[in-house]
Amino acid sequence: MPFAVTEKDAQDIRRLIPLNTLSSSRFEALCSELAIEEAPRGGLLFKQGDAKNELIYVLNGSVALQAGGMELDLIVGGTEGARFALAHQIPRKVSAVAKDQVRFIRVNSADLNQIAETGSSPFSSTPSTYEVSEFGEGEEIDWMTALLRSRIFRRLSPTSLQNLIFKLEEVHVAAGQVIVHQDEPGDFFYIIKKGHCRVSRKPSAHAKEVRLAELKASDTFGEAA
């Protein structure tokens, strides 16, 4: 039997991506429509091939993603991996099976996209906005939340944003290594997760290098690519 969202549940749901980009009023309206569902050990949250357009998030418990009789991944509620919707591709490429008692929510993707693209919501008649909370001094910055402040990313619908985030690849670069060479064709859009990068340019082949900027965590470059 589904249960209403409690204050503690709302705090956990607020961490989920991209639900953490909704304004406070819109997020409250969304929570008023959500229900917490439970699945016993061995229960199916969805099966391979399902095409229902919804995002499913694990709040508590662990869920195995399975295909062809094999367990491909294990998602545990409360971890960083659980901030993303389970196997979001439609139709589902895997089945989601509860490994123990699981609490989870379902969010209709179309509802989220309606909020982002038209400014209206099925949950309320008032206009909607996106917001990313400011960070207090001394707090550790969540680089992904900081990233959502970017003009480029905030133009995407929530489900498109989630699809893009799943395609991110983490790359480790040694100090002094050149990531992008001047005048070479662009290849990727880069996001600095940790560390600093220096941006410089030579006006001509034999000219002295000119330092243009210093980039830090959550800054981006390579937008043209």
Side-chain angles (χ1 to χ4, degrees), residues 70-81:
M70 297 180 59
E71 183 174 312
L72 305 178
D73 202 358
L74 183 68
I75 307 300
V76 180
T79 63
E80 190 67 19

Side-chain angles (χ1 to χ4, degrees), residues 155-188:
R155 291 174 63 185
L156 299 176
S157 69
T159 49
S160 295
L161 175 62
Q162 174 145 312
N163 289 337
L164 186 147
I165 289 174
F166 269 96
K167 295 181 183 297
L168 293 178
E169 178 183 354
E170 184 169 329
V171 179
H172 296 271
V173 180
Q177 181 178 339
V178 177
I179 302 173
V180 175
H181 292 268
Q182 179 178 333
D183 296 329
E184 286 187 350
D187 52 3
F188 295 103

Side-chain angles (χ1 to χ4, degrees), residues 76-175:
V76 180
T79 63
E80 190 67 19
R83 294 182 67 188
F84 302 93
L86 292 173
H88 67 289
Q89 298 91 344
I90 302 298
R92 307 287 184 184
K93 303 296 188 291
V94 296
S95 296
V97 182
K99 296 282 283 188
D100 46 32
Q101 186 75 15
V102 168
R103 299 174 72 249
F104 66 98
I105 60 169
R106 302 176 191 268
V107 181
N108 188 293
S109 299
D111 292 343
L112 279 180
N113 286 342
Q114 182 178 342
I115 294 172
E117 295 170 3
T118 70
S120 63
S121 168
F123 310 116
S124 172
S125 58
T126 57
S128 65
T129 57
Y130 279 108
E131 68 177 21
V132 179
S133 300
E134 295 296 325
F135 300 103
E137 291 185 8
E139 291 184 27
E140 180 181 357
I141 293 179
D142 178 338
W143 72 272
M144 191 168 294
T145 301
L147 176 65
L148 296 176
R149 294 177 178 178
S150 166
R151 174 182 56 83
I152 295 174
F153 283 78
R154 294 182 71 178
R155 291 174 63 185
L156 299 176
S157 69
T159 49
S160 295
L161 175 62
Q162 174 145 312
N163 289 337
L164 186 147
I165 289 174
F166 269 96
K167 295 181 183 297
L168 293 178
E169 178 183 354
E170 184 169 329
V171 179
H172 296 271
V173 180

Side-chain angles (χ1 to χ4, degrees), residues 50-78:
D50 279 354
K52 192 169 183 180
N53 195 19
E54 59 186 9
L55 304 176
I56 298 180
Y57 297 89
V58 179
L59 301 181
N60 304 101
S62 53
V63 173
L65 302 181
Q66 302 177 352
M70 297 180 59
E71 183 174 312
L72 305 178
D73 202 358
L74 183 68
I75 307 300
V76 180

